[in-house]
Amino acid sequence: MLLSPTELLPLASYCFLMSSTPGPNNLMLATAAANAGYRRTVPQMLGSNLGVAVQTWLTCLGLGSLFLAYPVLHQLLRVLGTLYLVYLAWQLSGLRIGAAQQDARPLSFAQAALFQAVNPKSWVKAITLATVFMPSGVDTWVGASLVAVVGVLVGLPSSTMWALFGLAIRQLLQDPAKRRVFNLFMAGSLVVLALSLLR
């Protein structure tokens, strides 16, 4: 067995905590599903999970040690990520009341995957996984792959729940004014989250 229960349980628990709590990916998934429906949100959901997995895998292979050696790089990414999140929030808040559904375009698979490069929460998760949860006694490539796979297996159900939450409240947002208020609220939440991750 490559991962013992004493390694797997803490790893899976941490992945669940990071994947299920509010963050840029989850807020954007809920908003996308509420505006555009679940089916159109699936590529964004899959892309964000794959992006996190690749990010985790690369960080476990050594990128994490680079950030530990040069903290300024990590800080720079956090600033860039915060600015990008504020930009996304501005775009979200700009949806026209009368055409919210038509304007609602979830991120594509590639956009969601690439977004992880500037997602501060994803970097925190990846660096923590690389420095705390890498399994001992296995090849680095194997260990990195195991950690990334566990992250996806835990992350997909969590992100699905956020998208389903967005879908569940979609009926409540048929009124364009209510949808506008919801989008503004989610945009504001994204800004607050972005600023909190900057600390």
Side-chain angles (χ1 to χ4, degrees), residues 25-132:
N25 285 327
N26 291 334
L27 290 178
M28 291 192 302
L29 279 172
T31 305
N35 282 284
Y38 180 80
R39 188 182 305 172
R40 291 181 62 192
T41 306
V42 169
Q44 178 178 332
M45 182 172 59
L46 296 177
S48 63
N49 277 278
L50 178 66
V52 170
V54 171
Q55 181 182 46
T56 299
W57 186 71
L58 290 173
T59 305
C60 288
L61 287 180
L63 197 55
S65 59
L66 181 65
F67 286 129
L68 291 175
Y70 302 99
V72 67
L73 294 177
H74 190 221
Q75 189 60 31
L76 177 62
L77 273 173
R78 290 171 75 161
V79 171
L80 291 175
T82 298
L83 292 174
Y84 188 64
L85 287 172
V86 170
Y87 167 73
L88 289 175
W90 174 77
Q91 278 196 320
L92 177 61
S93 67
L95 291 176
R96 295 194 304 273
I97 293 177
Q101 189 164 341
Q102 292 80 359
D103 284 353
R105 294 185 184 90
L107 296 178
S108 68
F109 179 91
Q111 288 172 326
L114 292 173
F115 168 66
Q116 306 318 310
V118 293
N119 183 348
K121 186 177 181 183
S122 291
W123 278 113
V124 170
K125 177 183 177 183
I127 292 171
T128 303
L129 288 172
T131 55
V132 177

Side-chain angles (χ1 to χ4, degrees), residues 35 95-101 172-183:
N35 282 284
L95 291 176
R96 295 194 304 273
I97 293 177
Q101 189 164 341
L172 301 174
L173 304 176
Q174 292 304 309
D175 176 17
K178 290 180 181 177
R179 188 182 295 262
R180 175 69 168 169
V181 169
F182 172 76
N183 286 331

